[in-house]
Amino acid sequence: MNNMKYFPEEDIIYIMISEGEEFNSVEISPNITAELNNKNEIIGIEILNASTYIRDNILESVQAKILKSL
């Protein structure tokens, strides 16, 4: 089973945690939403503007490690 899917036209990454119908969702941070089932268990995570989000977070992590090593 493929648990992650990228939708290039919308620039969205969807990560499936478990199968089930979405009952509710919670915004974790800007551009990141957790999808919940009727028991409030996380069934998926959606990342909007995924390419920018991933690039910026990886770049920030790399820069922090470089600065730490100096």
Side-chain angles (χ1 to χ4, degrees), residues 32-61:
I32 300 181
T33 302
E35 296 179 348
L36 310 172
N37 64 15
N38 61 353
K39 296 177 184 176
N40 282 328
E41 299 167 330
I42 297 174
I43 58 170
I45 297 172
E46 184 178 71
I47 302 173
L48 305 177
N49 301 315
S51 58
T52 303
Y53 179 82
I54 300 288
R55 182 199 66 220
D56 290 350
N57 280 289
I58 290 174
L59 182 60
E60 183 178 300
S61 294

Side-chain angles (χ1 to χ4, degrees), residues 2-67:
N2 188 355
N3 293 334
M4 185 168 63
K5 183 155 183 159
Y6 178 62
F7 301 92
E9 289 183 20
E10 297 89 1
D11 195 21
I12 295 173
I13 291 176
Y14 181 75
I15 303 167
M16 182 172 53
I17 307 299
S18 65
E19 293 190 20
E21 187 175 333
E22 179 184 348
F23 183 75
N24 198 3
S25 63
V26 176
E27 185 177 34
I28 297 171
S29 65
N31 297 324
I32 300 181
T33 302
E35 296 179 348
L36 310 172
N37 64 15
N38 61 353
K39 296 177 184 176
N40 282 328
E41 299 167 330
I42 297 174
I43 58 170
I45 297 172
E46 184 178 71
I47 302 173
L48 305 177
N49 301 315
S51 58
T52 303
Y53 179 82
I54 300 288
R55 182 199 66 220
D56 290 350
N57 280 289
I58 290 174
L59 182 60
E60 183 178 300
S61 294
V62 169
Q63 288 174 334
K65 287 187 184 271
I66 289 170
L67 288 174

